[in-house]
Amino acid sequence: MSIYDLTKEELEEYFINHGEKKFHADQLFSWLYEKKITSFDEVTNIKKEFLEIIKKDFSIKSLKILKKETDVDVNKYLFLLDDKECIETVLMKHDYGNSICISSQVGCNMGCSFCESGRVKKKRNLKVSEMVRQVLEVEEDLGKRISHVVIMGIGEPFDNYDNVMKFLKIMNDPKGLAIGSRHMTISTCGIIPKIKEFINFPLQVNLAISLHAPTDELRSKLMPINKAYPLKDLMVVLKEYIKVTNRRLTFEYILLDGINDREEDAKALVKLIKGMNAYVNLIPYNENSKLEYNRSSGMQIMKFYDILKKNHIQVTIRREFGSNISAACGQLRSKKEEL
Ligand code: SAH
């Protein structure tokens, strides 16, 4: 297995199980994530004989960049995994820092009708190391620190829960990448049992819910997951999340022309979330040729925004990155498969 699959607690356990002191885990983490070594031979404070054992047990490989595209404030990467599968990662340069959008699975089983990623069925979960290395590879390519992580690339992170939680711990570890938990966001289509589990996750990572429709009728048409976990039940668990964690929730809402961007949709949305400690992030839809949906006009987006604002809902419109290089939502991968 890869050394990047292990959280620090797991690495401590490994050392203890081999009769070694657990502080070596701190040391090794700092070699891996601060000094960013590429070979175990660079480690100087763990004895040679034990390094040989580590070398036998773990690999320290990087991910191969298959393709990179750049635009003004955004880089998009296509990575090749050991089993020849591909994943994509997007780097966004903000004035407040560098933010990376990582993938959590190869393909996705959620089948949202507007989403390009869902057209490729899930092949497998990503390993912890494959998520960690997306960040390390991009950091190295960029030559600058990554300060923010969002898990909004291909895949449903709560369908790969355990690995994603380990990944977050490694990102947050002071000897790992030391990325503040409030600088990390996990986005889910609403898998209720996992949201319940996440309420008790020890790190204060932000939660975003892909809502996209204010009624069950419409949401079930757009997002099949809504049939298993309808809005009524979802809202109950989200209110519980806000109450227990005391954190503000994000609702993502893609605006699709004539589908969910009407005045009645905005009003239904207000009714659904009024009084919750949450804000709505309106997302201009990224059109792609194979799906029938169109982006709402700028005017319609503003109308929708105004209705929410007038009703005292906190609302923002997502800034767009990389639409020239189709950096959003599974588009690179699907392009590649056409080659
Ligand atoms: N499965 C997770 C995370 C991946 S999708 C989730 O559902 O949240 C990340 C976000 O991008 C989701 O809100 C998703 O609905 C949105 N998205 C998918 N296709 C899009 C498109 N073509 N344009 C804009 N946003 C899109």
Side-chain angles (χ1 to χ4, degrees):
M1 88 191 308
S2 164
I3 191 73
Y4 301 102
D5 280 317
L6 267 54
T7 62
K8 206 168 70 214
E9 291 73 43
E10 288 172 331
L11 201 52
E12 284 175 352
E13 226 172 276
Y14 171 81
F15 279 107
I16 290 167
N17 288 342
H18 286 76
E20 298 287 330
K21 293 276 190 298
K22 75 170 190 188
F23 68 78
H24 288 314
D26 258 358
Q27 293 175 325
L28 191 51
F29 247 53
S30 136
W31 286 105
L32 294 172
Y33 296 107
E34 285 171 9
K35 302 186 190 83
K36 297 185 168 55
I37 56 168
T38 54
S39 153
F40 289 121
D41 294 326
E42 295 175 53
V43 175
T44 56
N45 51 6
I46 296 176
K47 59 181 186 248
K48 279 253 153 16
E49 306 85 81
F50 198 71
L51 275 180
E52 289 307 314
I53 299 177
I54 295 178
K55 272 193 214 169
K56 279 205 195 89
D57 288 343
F58 301 105
S59 71
I60 184 172
K61 277 208 325 233
S62 48
L63 294 181
K64 187 170 182 286
I65 299 180
L66 207 58
K67 190 170 167 193
K68 175 185 168 187
E69 289 181 47
T70 55
D71 204 338
V72 186
D73 289 338
V74 54
N75 295 352
K76 185 171 63 168
Y77 300 85
L78 188 70
F79 290 112
L80 181 68
L81 307 177
D82 282 349
D83 57 358
K84 305 276 178 278
E85 295 294 348
C86 295
I87 48 168
E88 75 180 81
T89 308
V90 178
L91 184 273
M92 291 158 285
K93 300 169 198 167
H94 298 271
D95 45 11
Y96 57 77
N98 296 306
S99 166
I100 191 171
C101 173
I102 73 144
S103 293
S104 56
Q105 297 180 315
V106 179
C108 181
N109 270 349
M110 298 302 123
C112 300
S113 62
F114 49 81
C115 179
E116 184 92 10
S117 309
R119 299 188 336 116
V120 184
K121 281 276 155 268
K122 173 176 131 183
K123 295 200 175 136
R124 64 175 179 86
N125 284 331
L126 288 192
K127 298 178 198 162
V128 178
S129 54
E130 290 166 333
M131 292 184 268
V132 168
R133 288 292 336 178
Q134 291 177 59
V135 181
L136 290 175
E137 253 55 90
V138 172
E139 240 185 16
E140 192 194 323
D141 181 64
L142 195 68
K144 287 194 188 120
R145 178 167 188 269
I146 287 172
S147 55
H148 292 68
V149 175
V150 300
I151 309 179
M152 290 187 188
I154 296 174
E156 167 49 49
F158 279 177
D159 188 32
N160 184 14
Y161 188 83
D162 293 345
N163 286 350
V164 168
M165 294 306 120
K166 284 183 189 177
F167 163 77
L168 292 172
K169 283 184 180 165
I170 295 171
M171 291 298 108
N172 181 251
D173 195 291
K175 294 283 178 192
L177 287 180
I179 298 175
S181 55
R182 285 159 199 274
H183 286 185
M184 299 195 282
T185 302
I186 186 161
S187 174
T188 178
C189 62
I191 300 182
I192 290 180
K194 294 297 164 189
I195 298 175
K196 280 188 184 153
E197 222 174 309
F198 187 67
I199 291 178
N200 298 313
F201 184 64
L203 303 179
Q204 306 253 298
V205 174
N206 303 308
L207 182 63
I209 303 292
S210 293
L211 192 65
H212 307 327
T215 61
D216 278 324
E217 197 196 345
L218 184 55
R219 195 165 191 265
S220 292
K221 274 192 205 145
L222 299 175
M223 304 173 71
I225 192 73
N226 194 66
K227 293 177 193 146
Y229 303 120
L231 281 175
K232 177 168 62 65
D233 302 339
L234 181 62
M235 287 320 204
V236 170
V237 69
L238 293 179
K239 282 175 186 159
E240 176 74 7
Y241 167 88
I242 292 169
K243 197 169 124 205
V244 175
T245 63
N246 213 9
R247 268 178 262 154
R248 188 173 69 154
L249 193 72
T250 305
F251 285 115
E252 294 163 275
Y253 196 104
I254 300 178
L255 288 162
L256 303 165
D257 186 33
I259 307 275
N260 67 352
D261 67 345
R262 302 157 302 176
E263 194 175 324
E264 63 198 86
D265 299 316
K267 286 182 176 156
L269 180 58
V270 170
K271 205 170 149 209
L272 184 72
I273 66 171
K274 198 153 182 114
M276 288 172 83
N277 183 20
Y279 83 97
V280 176
N281 195 1
L282 295 176
I283 307 175
Y285 182 58
N286 242 300
E287 290 181 12
N288 47 62
S289 50
K290 287 173 235 84
L291 301 171
E292 78 238 52
Y293 300 103
N294 296 313
R295 147 189 303 233
S296 307
S297 67
M299 185 111 111
Q300 200 56 34
I301 295 178
M302 283 322 293
K303 258 190 180 166
F304 201 94
Y305 175 93
D306 282 342
I307 295 174
L308 298 191
K309 220 32 199 197
K310 273 199 199 101
N311 285 281
H312 311 291
I313 303 284
Q314 299 178 58
V315 54
T316 53
I317 299 174
R318 178 177 290 175
R319 177 179 159 201
E320 287 189 80
F321 277 95
S323 39
N324 292 338
I325 55 169
S326 52
C329 316
Q331 292 172 333
L332 177 68
R333 197 192 136 96
S334 66
K335 254 200 208 161
K336 188 233 158 208
E337 277 171 2
E338 281 161 13
L339 296 178

